[in-house]
Structures are given as C-alpha cells and as structure tokens.
Amino acid sequence: MNAMKDSAGTLAGERRGHVLSDGRYRVLLTDRGTGMSACGPLALTRWAGDRLADAEGFFLYVRERSGAFWSATARPNPGACEAVFTEGLATFRREERGLAATLEVALVPGRDAELRRLTLENRRGEAVDLDVTSCLEAVLNHLDADRAHPAFSKLFVETFWRPGSRALLARRRPRGADEQAVWMAHWVAEAPEGELSHESERAAFLGRGRTLAEPAALATPGPLGGHTGAVLDPLLALRQTLRLEAGERRAFTVGLATGD
C-alpha cells in the first residue's frame, strides 16, 4: 500500500502512479488524481502525461452554494489530499471547510467500465447545499493519433443526452465504410435525489481563458449548459445537486464505459 499527500502542489515524497486493469480496460492514476482511462488500443479520456502541468484526467468537483469549490483529488484544484493505492482500488481522501470527501475508483468486473464513488460527510454543525460535478475530455481514438492531431481527432466525436438513463453518450463517427462507430457512456450510477444537468462542450464548461483548476462552470450556480451534438471540443460533464444535513454522509457514483 502506498500513501501519498499533495499540499498546495508540493508532493510529500516521491510521485507515484497506479494502474487498474483487467487486461483490456485500464485506468492510470497519479497520486494527484490525474490520469487517463483506456480500453484496448483506444484512449477514452485525454491525458498528455506532462509532469509539470499534470492537469488532465477524470475529475469530480464539490461546490457549495456560497461559491467555494474544490476537487475531490489534489488536482485540478490544488489542495492537501491523501492517495491510497491497493490492488483493484484507488482511494483519495480530502477535507475542505468541514466537508470530508472519499473518492474510490474501481473497474466493473466483466465489463469495459469503471465506477467512481464519492462519499461526502458533513462535519459542520449545520446543513449545506452542494453541487457535485464530474468532468472528463472524451477522446475515443488511438492515443498516438489523438496526440498527433488533437484538433482533427475532436471533429469526429459527437455527443447525446439520455435523461431516462441519466447518461451522456459520446460517439466517434466512422471516417469511412471500413470503420465502425465507437461509443462511450458517462452516467450517474448512484446519487441522492436532486437536479441533474449536463454539458459536453469544453469551451462552455471552461469559459474564456480558464483552466480546469477554475472552470467557468464552477464559478456560477445552477445547471450546466446542456450542449450536445457535433461540438467542437467534446467534454462529458454531469452535475448533481444535493443537500447534506449536519453529520450526514451520502454517496454520489458515476460510471464510464465503452462499446461498439
């Protein structure tokens, strides 16, 4: 078992990474919570592997109605976070403003899929209203091809919203008759009652001149923008509202899966 901490961007000890894999579907995670998901030869999410910037991955944010927000891991919004890696599981623990968060990442046995469960505990003496927001950049392409021509790669991804399934879908359109469409789904697997919204246009989520550390979508309350279709820069984001009473613990679980 390896335990690491990152405080305001300074790592205590050696940087470490962890891989969850069943031989086909795999998730690479750093101790900061950055990394990528892939299946076979396809990258599902974008990650450049830049050790300096190290700001890409599949993230979960917690936002209070007051406007304060933070990520469940040490990136993209820097803060002290403990990462514990064991066989088949990655666990991240972070506490901010009297709210304790535990994020667990694991694969789904027998499926090309992963689950990320965020458990929140309200350690304050009063109730708090929150938004929990997920975010990942959709790739659905061979890693080398995406890195060589990222703008071109993005042109072939389109997105769809399926409210009945509480899911955002992404599809890489075939470029020729010899290619087959590839699909990816990002959905809410477990969540408390509350409003659910979505966004799939990266520019709308980030805003002008912003990064994932402080995206525009976290700067204001309310539902996400709801863009879908042949977006220029595909991103999959879901937002769930919830209320935590004093001393209450609740879980929010999202999934990511692929198939043809």
Side-chain angles (χ1 to χ4, degrees), residues 140-172:
L140 281 174
N141 199 3
H142 291 257
L143 181 59
D144 290 343
D146 181 69
R147 287 181 174 175
H149 304 286
F152 182 74
S153 176
K154 295 171 184 178
L155 293 177
F156 292 88
V157 177
E158 57 185 341
T159 61
F160 309 85
W161 172 236
R162 295 292 183 264
S165 301
R166 300 168 65 86
L168 264 175
L169 306 182
R171 182 185 75 143
R172 173 162 290 278

PDB file of all heavy atoms in Angstrom, residues 140-172:
ATOM      1  N   LEU A 140     -11.909   8.704 -27.475  1.00  0.00           N
ATOM      2  CA  LEU A 140     -12.371   7.600 -28.313  1.00  0.00           C
ATOM      3  C   LEU A 140     -11.524   7.446 -29.578  1.00  0.00           C
ATOM      4  O   LEU A 140     -12.044   7.315 -30.685  1.00  0.00           O
ATOM      5  CB  LEU A 140     -13.848   7.799 -28.702  1.00  0.00           C
ATOM      6  CG  LEU A 140     -14.886   7.440 -27.643  1.00  0.00           C
ATOM      7  CD1 LEU A 140     -16.277   7.835 -28.107  1.00  0.00           C
ATOM      8  CD2 LEU A 140     -14.846   5.959 -27.316  1.00  0.00           C
ATOM      9  N   ASN A 141     -10.219   7.461 -29.403  1.00  0.00           N
ATOM     10  CA  ASN A 141      -9.317   7.355 -30.540  1.00  0.00           C
ATOM     11  C   ASN A 141      -8.017   6.708 -30.071  1.00  0.00           C
ATOM     12  O   ASN A 141      -7.734   6.651 -28.871  1.00  0.00           O
ATOM     13  CB  ASN A 141      -9.033   8.741 -31.116  1.00  0.00           C
ATOM     14  CG  ASN A 141      -8.491   8.691 -32.536  1.00  0.00           C
ATOM     15  OD1 ASN A 141      -8.369   7.619 -33.132  1.00  0.00           O
ATOM     16  ND2 ASN A 141      -8.168   9.837 -33.091  1.00  0.00           N
ATOM     17  N   HIS A 142      -7.223   6.230 -31.017  1.00  0.00           N
ATOM     18  CA  HIS A 142      -5.911   5.709 -30.679  1.00  0.00           C
ATOM     19  C   HIS A 142      -5.084   6.845 -30.075  1.00  0.00           C
ATOM     20  O   HIS A 142      -5.098   7.972 -30.577  1.00  0.00           O
ATOM     21  CB  HIS A 142      -5.231   5.138 -31.916  1.00  0.00           C
ATOM     22  CG  HIS A 142      -5.882   3.885 -32.412  1.00  0.00           C
ATOM     23  ND1 HIS A 142      -5.349   2.636 -32.194  1.00  0.00           N
ATOM     24  CD2 HIS A 142      -7.037   3.678 -33.103  1.00  0.00           C
ATOM     25  CE1 HIS A 142      -6.133   1.720 -32.733  1.00  0.00           C
ATOM     26  NE2 HIS A 142      -7.159   2.324 -33.289  1.00  0.00           N
ATOM     27  N   LEU A 143      -4.358   6.543 -29.020  1.00  0.00           N
ATOM     28  CA  LEU A 143      -3.636   7.571 -28.285  1.00  0.00           C
ATOM     29  C   LEU A 143      -2.662   8.331 -29.170  1.00  0.00           C
ATOM     30  O   LEU A 143      -2.616   9.568 -29.141  1.00  0.00           O
ATOM     31  CB  LEU A 143      -2.888   6.944 -27.103  1.00  0.00           C
ATOM     32  CG  LEU A 143      -2.102   7.902 -26.205  1.00  0.00           C
ATOM     33  CD1 LEU A 143      -3.022   8.949 -25.603  1.00  0.00           C
ATOM     34  CD2 LEU A 143      -1.385   7.123 -25.114  1.00  0.00           C
ATOM     35  N   ASP A 144      -1.883   7.633 -29.986  1.00  0.00           N
ATOM     36  CA  ASP A 144      -0.900   8.301 -30.843  1.00  0.00           C
ATOM     37  C   ASP A 144      -1.582   9.212 -31.856  1.00  0.00           C
ATOM     38  O   ASP A 144      -1.106  10.311 -32.137  1.00  0.00           O
ATOM     39  CB  ASP A 144      -0.028   7.269 -31.565  1.00  0.00           C
ATOM     40  CG  ASP A 144       0.923   6.550 -30.614  1.00  0.00           C
ATOM     41  OD1 ASP A 144       1.131   7.060 -29.501  1.00  0.00           O
ATOM     42  OD2 ASP A 144       1.430   5.478 -30.987  1.00  0.00           O
ATOM     43  N   ALA A 145      -2.705   8.760 -32.410  1.00  0.00           N
ATOM     44  CA  ALA A 145      -3.426   9.566 -33.395  1.00  0.00           C
ATOM     45  C   ALA A 145      -4.000  10.822 -32.758  1.00  0.00           C
ATOM     46  O   ALA A 145      -3.970  11.906 -33.351  1.00  0.00           O
ATOM     47  CB  ALA A 145      -4.542   8.743 -34.030  1.00  0.00           C
ATOM     48  N   ASP A 146      -4.496  10.693 -31.543  1.00  0.00           N
ATOM     49  CA  ASP A 146      -5.063  11.858 -30.859  1.00  0.00           C
ATOM     50  C   ASP A 146      -3.980  12.861 -30.504  1.00  0.00           C
ATOM     51  O   ASP A 146      -4.175  14.072 -30.649  1.00  0.00           O
ATOM     52  CB  ASP A 146      -5.796  11.397 -29.604  1.00  0.00           C
ATOM     53  CG  ASP A 146      -6.440  12.564 -28.861  1.00  0.00           C
ATOM     54  OD1 ASP A 146      -7.412  13.129 -29.407  1.00  0.00           O
ATOM     55  OD2 ASP A 146      -5.958  12.913 -27.774  1.00  0.00           O
ATOM     56  N   ARG A 147      -2.832  12.371 -30.047  1.00  0.00           N
ATOM     57  CA  ARG A 147      -1.756  13.289 -29.681  1.00  0.00           C
ATOM     58  C   ARG A 147      -1.136  13.958 -30.899  1.00  0.00           C
ATOM     59  O   ARG A 147      -0.696  15.102 -30.827  1.00  0.00           O
ATOM     60  CB  ARG A 147      -0.689  12.525 -28.892  1.00  0.00           C
ATOM     61  CG  ARG A 147      -1.121  12.177 -27.478  1.00  0.00           C
ATOM     62  CD  ARG A 147      -0.040  11.434 -26.709  1.00  0.00           C
ATOM     63  NE  ARG A 147      -0.436  11.231 -25.314  1.00  0.00           N
ATOM     64  CZ  ARG A 147       0.277  10.536 -24.437  1.00  0.00           C
ATOM     65  NH1 ARG A 147       1.418   9.953 -24.817  1.00  0.00           N
ATOM     66  NH2 ARG A 147      -0.140  10.403 -23.185  1.00  0.00           N
ATOM     67  N   ALA A 148      -1.102  13.261 -32.028  1.00  0.00           N
ATOM     68  CA  ALA A 148      -0.509  13.836 -33.236  1.00  0.00           C
ATOM     69  C   ALA A 148      -1.395  14.918 -33.837  1.00  0.00           C
ATOM     70  O   ALA A 148      -0.903  15.944 -34.327  1.00  0.00           O
ATOM     71  CB  ALA A 148      -0.246  12.737 -34.259  1.00  0.00           C
ATOM     72  N   HIS A 149      -2.707  14.707 -33.818  1.00  0.00           N
ATOM     73  CA  HIS A 149      -3.643  15.662 -34.444  1.00  0.00           C
ATOM     74  C   HIS A 149      -4.884  15.824 -33.554  1.00  0.00           C
ATOM     75  O   HIS A 149      -5.980  15.408 -33.930  1.00  0.00           O
ATOM     76  CB  HIS A 149      -4.046  15.181 -35.833  1.00  0.00           C
ATOM     77  CG  HIS A 149      -2.905  14.936 -36.753  1.00  0.00           C
ATOM     78  ND1 HIS A 149      -2.180  15.958 -37.342  1.00  0.00           N
ATOM     79  CD2 HIS A 149      -2.335  13.776 -37.157  1.00  0.00           C
ATOM     80  CE1 HIS A 149      -1.227  15.439 -38.097  1.00  0.00           C
ATOM     81  NE2 HIS A 149      -1.285  14.124 -38.005  1.00  0.00           N
ATOM     82  N   PRO A 150      -4.748  16.428 -32.378  1.00  0.00           N
ATOM     83  CA  PRO A 150      -5.882  16.514 -31.443  1.00  0.00           C
ATOM     84  C   PRO A 150      -7.079  17.282 -31.996  1.00  0.00           C
ATOM     85  O   PRO A 150      -8.220  16.868 -31.806  1.00  0.00           O
ATOM     86  CB  PRO A 150      -5.291  17.208 -30.219  1.00  0.00           C
ATOM     87  CG  PRO A 150      -4.054  17.895 -30.716  1.00  0.00           C
ATOM     88  CD  PRO A 150      -3.530  17.032 -31.814  1.00  0.00           C
ATOM     89  N   ALA A 151      -6.841  18.388 -32.685  1.00  0.00           N
ATOM     90  CA  ALA A 151      -7.962  19.178 -33.223  1.00  0.00           C
ATOM     91  C   ALA A 151      -8.740  18.377 -34.262  1.00  0.00           C
ATOM     92  O   ALA A 151      -9.970  18.402 -34.296  1.00  0.00           O
ATOM     93  CB  ALA A 151      -7.439  20.476 -33.829  1.00  0.00           C
ATOM     94  N   PHE A 152      -8.018  17.659 -35.117  1.00  0.00           N
ATOM     95  CA  PHE A 152      -8.666  16.826 -36.126  1.00  0.00           C
ATOM     96  C   PHE A 152      -9.416  15.676 -35.469  1.00  0.00           C
ATOM     97  O   PHE A 152     -10.541  15.340 -35.867  1.00  0.00           O
ATOM     98  CB  PHE A 152      -7.609  16.288 -37.095  1.00  0.00           C
ATOM     99  CG  PHE A 152      -8.170  15.443 -38.202  1.00  0.00           C
ATOM    100  CD1 PHE A 152      -8.867  16.013 -39.251  1.00  0.00           C
ATOM    101  CD2 PHE A 152      -7.993  14.066 -38.189  1.00  0.00           C
ATOM    102  CE1 PHE A 152      -9.392  15.226 -40.282  1.00  0.00           C
ATOM    103  CE2 PHE A 152      -8.505  13.281 -39.212  1.00  0.00           C
ATOM    104  CZ  PHE A 152      -9.202  13.853 -40.257  1.00  0.00           C
ATOM    105  N   SER A 153      -8.825  15.084 -34.458  1.00  0.00           N
ATOM    106  CA  SER A 153      -9.454  13.964 -33.757  1.00  0.00           C
ATOM    107  C   SER A 153     -10.790  14.361 -33.147  1.00  0.00           C
ATOM    108  O   SER A 153     -11.760  13.590 -33.177  1.00  0.00           O
ATOM    109  CB  SER A 153      -8.506  13.448 -32.671  1.00  0.00           C
ATOM    110  OG  SER A 153      -9.104  12.432 -31.908  1.00  0.00           O
ATOM    111  N   LYS A 154     -10.868  15.569 -32.614  1.00  0.00           N
ATOM    112  CA  LYS A 154     -12.084  16.031 -31.947  1.00  0.00           C
ATOM    113  C   LYS A 154     -13.258  16.213 -32.905  1.00  0.00           C
ATOM    114  O   LYS A 154     -14.419  16.148 -32.486  1.00  0.00           O
ATOM    115  CB  LYS A 154     -11.804  17.352 -31.221  1.00  0.00           C
ATOM    116  CG  LYS A 154     -10.807  17.229 -30.082  1.00  0.00           C
ATOM    117  CD  LYS A 154     -10.412  18.603 -29.553  1.00  0.00           C
ATOM    118  CE  LYS A 154      -9.353  18.501 -28.474  1.00  0.00           C
ATOM    119  NZ  LYS A 154      -8.921  19.833 -27.982  1.00  0.00           N
ATOM    120  N   LEU A 155     -12.963  16.431 -34.176  1.00  0.00           N
ATOM    121  CA  LEU A 155     -14.021  16.712 -35.150  1.00  0.00           C
ATOM    122  C   LEU A 155     -14.965  15.535 -35.362  1.00  0.00           C
ATOM    123  O   LEU A 155     -16.088  15.717 -35.837  1.00  0.00           O
ATOM    124  CB  LEU A 155     -13.399  17.105 -36.495  1.00  0.00           C
ATOM    125  CG  LEU A 155     -12.629  18.427 -36.529  1.00  0.00           C
ATOM    126  CD1 LEU A 155     -12.018  18.625 -37.910  1.00  0.00           C
ATOM    127  CD2 LEU A 155     -13.546  19.592 -36.178  1.00  0.00           C
ATOM    128  N   PHE A 156     -14.527  14.327 -35.024  1.00  0.00           N
ATOM    129  CA  PHE A 156     -15.323  13.138 -35.323  1.00  0.00           C
ATOM    130  C   PHE A 156     -16.110  12.629 -34.121  1.00  0.00           C
ATOM    131  O   PHE A 156     -16.714  11.559 -34.184  1.00  0.00           O
ATOM    132  CB  PHE A 156     -14.411  12.030 -35.868  1.00  0.00           C
ATOM    133  CG  PHE A 156     -13.847  12.339 -37.220  1.00  0.00           C
ATOM    134  CD1 PHE A 156     -12.665  13.040 -37.343  1.00  0.00           C
ATOM    135  CD2 PHE A 156     -14.520  11.964 -38.380  1.00  0.00           C
ATOM    136  CE1 PHE A 156     -12.147  13.352 -38.590  1.00  0.00           C
ATOM    137  CE2 PHE A 156     -14.012  12.271 -39.629  1.00  0.00           C
ATOM    138  CZ  PHE A 156     -12.827  12.972 -39.732  1.00  0.00           C
ATOM    139  N   VAL A 157     -16.107  13.382 -33.020  1.00  0.00           N
ATOM    140  CA  VAL A 157     -16.838  12.963 -31.826  1.00  0.00           C
ATOM    141  C   VAL A 157     -18.105  13.795 -31.683  1.00  0.00           C
ATOM    142  O   VAL A 157     -18.064  15.025 -31.737  1.00  0.00           O
ATOM    143  CB  VAL A 157     -15.969  13.114 -30.561  1.00  0.00           C
ATOM    144  CG1 VAL A 157     -16.775  12.739 -29.321  1.00  0.00           C
ATOM    145  CG2 VAL A 157     -14.725  12.240 -30.663  1.00  0.00           C
ATOM    146  N   GLU A 158     -19.243  13.134 -31.517  1.00  0.00           N
ATOM    147  CA  GLU A 158     -20.493  13.819 -31.253  1.00  0.00           C
ATOM    148  C   GLU A 158     -21.121  13.264 -29.983  1.00  0.00           C
ATOM    149  O   GLU A 158     -20.845  12.121 -29.593  1.00  0.00           O
ATOM    150  CB  GLU A 158     -21.464  13.696 -32.429  1.00  0.00           C
ATOM    151  CG  GLU A 158     -21.788  12.285 -32.845  1.00  0.00           C
ATOM    152  CD  GLU A 158     -22.653  12.238 -34.102  1.00  0.00           C
ATOM    153  OE1 GLU A 158     -23.290  13.256 -34.427  1.00  0.00           O
ATOM    154  OE2 GLU A 158     -22.682  11.181 -34.750  1.00  0.00           O
ATOM    155  N   THR A 159     -21.938  14.056 -29.325  1.00  0.00           N
ATOM    156  CA  THR A 159     -22.471  13.695 -28.020  1.00  0.00           C
ATOM    157  C   THR A 159     -23.997  13.692 -28.008  1.00  0.00           C
ATOM    158  O   THR A 159     -24.646  14.373 -28.811  1.00  0.00           O
ATOM    159  CB  THR A 159     -21.960  14.665 -26.944  1.00  0.00           C
ATOM    160  OG1 THR A 159     -22.395  15.996 -27.266  1.00  0.00           O
ATOM    161  CG2 THR A 159     -20.433  14.631 -26.867  1.00  0.00           C
ATOM    162  N   PHE A 160     -24.567  12.921 -27.067  1.00  0.00           N
ATOM    163  CA  PHE A 160     -26.013  12.759 -26.948  1.00  0.00           C
ATOM    164  C   PHE A 160     -26.390  12.695 -25.472  1.00  0.00           C
ATOM    165  O   PHE A 160     -25.665  12.097 -24.669  1.00  0.00           O
ATOM    166  CB  PHE A 160     -26.471  11.458 -27.627  1.00  0.00           C
ATOM    167  CG  PHE A 160     -25.981  11.282 -29.035  1.00  0.00           C
ATOM    168  CD1 PHE A 160     -24.717  10.734 -29.280  1.00  0.00           C
ATOM    169  CD2 PHE A 160     -26.771  11.655 -30.115  1.00  0.00           C
ATOM    170  CE1 PHE A 160     -24.266  10.562 -30.575  1.00  0.00           C
ATOM    171  CE2 PHE A 160     -26.320  11.476 -31.407  1.00  0.00           C
ATOM    172  CZ  PHE A 160     -25.064  10.942 -31.641  1.00  0.00           C
ATOM    173  N   TRP A 161     -27.544  13.274 -25.125  1.00  0.00           N
ATOM    174  CA  TRP A 161     -28.036  13.234 -23.757  1.00  0.00           C
ATOM    175  C   TRP A 161     -29.218  12.280 -23.673  1.00  0.00           C
ATOM    176  O   TRP A 161     -30.142  12.353 -24.475  1.00  0.00           O
ATOM    177  CB  TRP A 161     -28.467  14.631 -23.319  1.00  0.00           C
ATOM    178  CG  TRP A 161     -29.171  14.734 -21.994  1.00  0.00           C
ATOM    179  CD1 TRP A 161     -30.398  15.285 -21.754  1.00  0.00           C
ATOM    180  CD2 TRP A 161     -28.674  14.305 -20.712  1.00  0.00           C
ATOM    181  NE1 TRP A 161     -30.703  15.225 -20.415  1.00  0.00           N
ATOM    182  CE2 TRP A 161     -29.661  14.629 -19.756  1.00  0.00           C
ATOM    183  CE3 TRP A 161     -27.499  13.670 -20.297  1.00  0.00           C
ATOM    184  CZ2 TRP A 161     -29.509  14.340 -18.403  1.00  0.00           C
ATOM    185  CZ3 TRP A 161     -27.347  13.387 -18.943  1.00  0.00           C
ATOM    186  CH2 TRP A 161     -28.343  13.721 -18.023  1.00  0.00           C
ATOM    187  N   ARG A 162     -29.164  11.366 -22.697  1.00  0.00           N
ATOM    188  CA  ARG A 162     -30.229  10.387 -22.488  1.00  0.00           C
ATOM    189  C   ARG A 162     -30.747  10.553 -21.054  1.00  0.00           C
ATOM    190  O   ARG A 162     -30.278   9.901 -20.132  1.00  0.00           O
ATOM    191  CB  ARG A 162     -29.721   8.966 -22.713  1.00  0.00           C
ATOM    192  CG  ARG A 162     -29.286   8.682 -24.141  1.00  0.00           C
ATOM    193  CD  ARG A 162     -30.483   8.686 -25.090  1.00  0.00           C
ATOM    194  NE  ARG A 162     -30.121   8.360 -26.462  1.00  0.00           N
ATOM    195  CZ  ARG A 162     -29.879   9.245 -27.401  1.00  0.00           C
ATOM    196  NH1 ARG A 162     -29.949  10.547 -27.102  1.00  0.00           N
ATOM    197  NH2 ARG A 162     -29.580   8.884 -28.627  1.00  0.00           N
ATOM    198  N   PRO A 163     -31.728  11.454 -20.841  1.00  0.00           N
ATOM    199  CA  PRO A 163     -32.188  11.746 -19.480  1.00  0.00           C
ATOM    200  C   PRO A 163     -32.765  10.534 -18.761  1.00  0.00           C
ATOM    201  O   PRO A 163     -32.615  10.405 -17.545  1.00  0.00           O
ATOM    202  CB  PRO A 163     -33.241  12.847 -19.683  1.00  0.00           C
ATOM    203  CG  PRO A 163     -33.654  12.730 -21.114  1.00  0.00           C
ATOM    204  CD  PRO A 163     -32.447  12.259 -21.850  1.00  0.00           C
ATOM    205  N   GLY A 164     -33.428   9.639 -19.498  1.00  0.00           N
ATOM    206  CA  GLY A 164     -34.004   8.455 -18.860  1.00  0.00           C
ATOM    207  C   GLY A 164     -32.952   7.551 -18.247  1.00  0.00           C
ATOM    208  O   GLY A 164     -33.221   6.858 -17.254  1.00  0.00           O
ATOM    209  N   SER A 165     -31.760   7.559 -18.830  1.00  0.00           N
ATOM    210  CA  SER A 165     -30.652   6.747 -18.320  1.00  0.00           C
ATOM    211  C   SER A 165     -29.693   7.562 -17.463  1.00  0.00           C
ATOM    212  O   SER A 165     -28.687   7.025 -16.999  1.00  0.00           O
ATOM    213  CB  SER A 165     -29.883   6.121 -19.495  1.00  0.00           C
ATOM    214  OG  SER A 165     -30.729   5.320 -20.284  1.00  0.00           O
ATOM    215  N   ARG A 166     -29.975   8.845 -17.317  1.00  0.00           N
ATOM    216  CA  ARG A 166     -29.091   9.767 -16.576  1.00  0.00           C
ATOM    217  C   ARG A 166     -27.665   9.668 -17.122  1.00  0.00           C
ATOM    218  O   ARG A 166     -26.687   9.545 -16.374  1.00  0.00           O
ATOM    219  CB  ARG A 166     -29.121   9.446 -15.078  1.00  0.00           C
ATOM    220  CG  ARG A 166     -30.499   9.557 -14.450  1.00  0.00           C
ATOM    221  CD  ARG A 166     -30.566   8.960 -13.063  1.00  0.00           C
ATOM    222  NE  ARG A 166     -29.744   9.662 -12.103  1.00  0.00           N
ATOM    223  CZ  ARG A 166     -30.121  10.737 -11.417  1.00  0.00           C
ATOM    224  NH1 ARG A 166     -31.318  11.266 -11.627  1.00  0.00           N
ATOM    225  NH2 ARG A 166     -29.324  11.312 -10.548  1.00  0.00           N
ATOM    226  N   ALA A 167     -27.572   9.733 -18.465  1.00  0.00           N
ATOM    227  CA  ALA A 167     -26.284   9.463 -19.102  1.00  0.00           C
ATOM    228  C   ALA A 167     -26.000  10.403 -20.264  1.00  0.00           C
ATOM    229  O   ALA A 167     -26.907  10.813 -21.002  1.00  0.00           O
ATOM    230  CB  ALA A 167     -26.252   8.023 -19.610  1.00  0.00           C
ATOM    231  N   LEU A 168     -24.724  10.731 -20.428  1.00  0.00           N
ATOM    232  CA  LEU A 168     -24.197  11.398 -21.613  1.00  0.00           C
ATOM    233  C   LEU A 168     -23.483  10.349 -22.451  1.00  0.00           C
ATOM    234  O   LEU A 168     -22.679   9.566 -21.929  1.00  0.00           O
ATOM    235  CB  LEU A 168     -23.196  12.487 -21.222  1.00  0.00           C
ATOM    236  CG  LEU A 168     -23.675  13.926 -21.115  1.00  0.00           C
ATOM    237  CD1 LEU A 168     -22.529  14.805 -20.597  1.00  0.00           C
ATOM    238  CD2 LEU A 168     -24.172  14.454 -22.449  1.00  0.00           C
ATOM    239  N   LEU A 169     -23.759  10.332 -23.748  1.00  0.00           N
ATOM    240  CA  LEU A 169     -23.097   9.411 -24.657  1.00  0.00           C
ATOM    241  C   LEU A 169     -22.189  10.185 -25.604  1.00  0.00           C
ATOM    242  O   LEU A 169     -22.491  11.315 -25.989  1.00  0.00           O
ATOM    243  CB  LEU A 169     -24.120   8.626 -25.486  1.00  0.00           C
ATOM    244  CG  LEU A 169     -25.207   7.866 -24.732  1.00  0.00           C
ATOM    245  CD1 LEU A 169     -26.095   7.113 -25.723  1.00  0.00           C
ATOM    246  CD2 LEU A 169     -24.619   6.917 -23.715  1.00  0.00           C
ATOM    247  N   ALA A 170     -21.088   9.564 -25.982  1.00  0.00           N
ATOM    248  CA  ALA A 170     -20.197  10.116 -26.998  1.00  0.00           C
ATOM    249  C   ALA A 170     -19.952   9.040 -28.045  1.00  0.00           C
ATOM    250  O   ALA A 170     -19.770   7.867 -27.705  1.00  0.00           O
ATOM    251  CB  ALA A 170     -18.878  10.572 -26.380  1.00  0.00           C
ATOM    252  N   ARG A 171     -19.935   9.443 -29.306  1.00  0.00           N
ATOM    253  CA  ARG A 171     -19.715   8.504 -30.393  1.00  0.00           C
ATOM    254  C   ARG A 171     -18.664   9.061 -31.333  1.00  0.00           C
ATOM    255  O   ARG A 171     -18.719  10.244 -31.713  1.00  0.00           O
ATOM    256  CB  ARG A 171     -21.001   8.275 -31.195  1.00  0.00           C
ATOM    257  CG  ARG A 171     -20.839   7.261 -32.326  1.00  0.00           C
ATOM    258  CD  ARG A 171     -22.093   7.156 -33.158  1.00  0.00           C
ATOM    259  NE  ARG A 171     -22.267   8.301 -34.045  1.00  0.00           N
ATOM    260  CZ  ARG A 171     -22.762   8.234 -35.295  1.00  0.00           C
ATOM    261  NH1 ARG A 171     -23.151   7.065 -35.793  1.00  0.00           N
ATOM    262  NH2 ARG A 171     -22.898   9.321 -36.011  1.00  0.00           N
ATOM    263  N   ARG A 172     -17.685   8.219 -31.676  1.00  0.00           N
ATOM    264  CA  ARG A 172     -16.738   8.598 -32.718  1.00  0.00           C
ATOM    265  C   ARG A 172     -17.306   8.130 -34.041  1.00  0.00           C
ATOM    266  O   ARG A 172     -17.469   6.929 -34.276  1.00  0.00           O
ATOM    267  CB  ARG A 172     -15.352   7.975 -32.479  1.00  0.00           C
ATOM    268  CG  ARG A 172     -14.380   8.214 -33.652  1.00  0.00           C
ATOM    269  CD  ARG A 172     -12.950   8.011 -33.257  1.00  0.00           C
ATOM    270  NE  ARG A 172     -12.503   9.077 -32.361  1.00  0.00           N
ATOM    271  CZ  ARG A 172     -12.093  10.283 -32.765  1.00  0.00           C
ATOM    272  NH1 ARG A 172     -12.077  10.579 -34.067  1.00  0.00           N
ATOM    273  NH2 ARG A 172     -11.713  11.195 -31.908  1.00  0.00           N
TER     274      ARG A 172
END
